[in-house]
Amino acid sequence: MVIQHEGQLFTIFSVDHRTPGNKRGSMPNAHEKPPYGCHHRYRFRAEEFVDRAILDEVEFEYLYNEGDDFHFMNTKNYEQMQMSREELGESVYYLIPSTLVKVEFFEEKAIGVDLPDTMDMKVVQTEPTLQKATASAVMKPQRWRPACGSGAAFRE
């Protein structure tokens, strides 16, 4: 969900409702401000109101990138547009040419993309496991790329 708070847009990615004892309830949440990467925590009191931002979603096809500019084509009228790496945030690592995405607009300005629910990726490199490290799940760094074999950069 995208909300307007203090005159700015924020994407909510974590919400918790707490009512401690006989005190008033509150909703601590974690949100980030587009361009993505600036994480904030804020506690809304029960009597506070928040405006939900109304976003328009238009289907686009991702075409290609030139450095930090990513090019998209509207699937209805074939108009092309570009967005910067800063506007797209972490979603640049999941963009595969010819993928259909929904570009989110707020007041006729593109603010981000909504990726498909599932995408095929292929793990291309991991570090070897440690011997007898079976007491807990061992997380290993991985390198992967899109399964289609495009020349996209690796993501760790």
Side-chain angles (χ1 to χ4, degrees), residues 1-5 8-10 44 49-54:
M1 180 190 324
V2 178
I3 63 169
Q4 283 184 296
H5 180 64
Q8 297 180 0
L9 291 181
F10 292 94
F44 290 102
F49 290 95
V50 177
D51 293 326
R52 184 173 184 177
I54 305 300

Side-chain angles (χ1 to χ4, degrees), residues 18-139:
R18 295 189 182 168
T19 309
N22 61 356
K23 296 182 181 178
R24 293 185 180 176
S26 66
M27 291 186 69
N29 68 56
H31 56 265
E32 61 186 4
K33 176 184 174 209
Y36 301 104
C38 305
H39 296 284
H40 301 278
R41 293 200 175 277
Y42 189 83
R43 181 176 305 226
F44 290 102
R45 296 184 312 266
E47 56 273 356
E48 282 187 86
F49 290 95
V50 177
D51 293 326
R52 184 173 184 177
I54 305 300
L55 301 180
D56 295 322
E57 290 185 343
V58 180
E59 186 175 79
F60 277 77
E61 178 180 351
Y62 169 63
L63 301 175
Y64 63 94
N65 71 306
E66 285 180 325
D68 286 345
D69 292 328
F70 293 78
H71 298 267
F72 299 87
M73 179 182 66
N74 188 320
T75 58
K76 297 227 186 311
N77 59 17
Y78 305 109
E79 290 181 6
Q80 292 189 15
M81 64 169 279
Q82 69 182 26
M83 294 179 73
S84 68
R85 180 178 298 273
E86 183 178 289
E87 293 171 319
L88 294 169
E90 290 285 316
S91 49
V92 297
Y93 299 114
Y94 301 97
L95 290 173
I96 302 170
S98 301
T99 300
L100 295 177
V101 297
K102 293 191 191 289
V103 177
E104 298 171 330
F105 290 89
F106 181 73
E107 297 177 349
E108 298 183 14
K109 182 182 183 309
I111 62 167
V113 296
D114 186 17
L115 296 168
D117 291 336
T118 61
M119 297 185 74
D120 292 330
M121 299 288 184
K122 180 179 180 181
V123 175
V124 294
Q125 179 183 355
T126 65
E127 293 181 8
T129 60
L130 299 172
Q131 288 289 333
K132 299 182 183 180
T134 58
S136 64
V138 178
M139 302 299 285

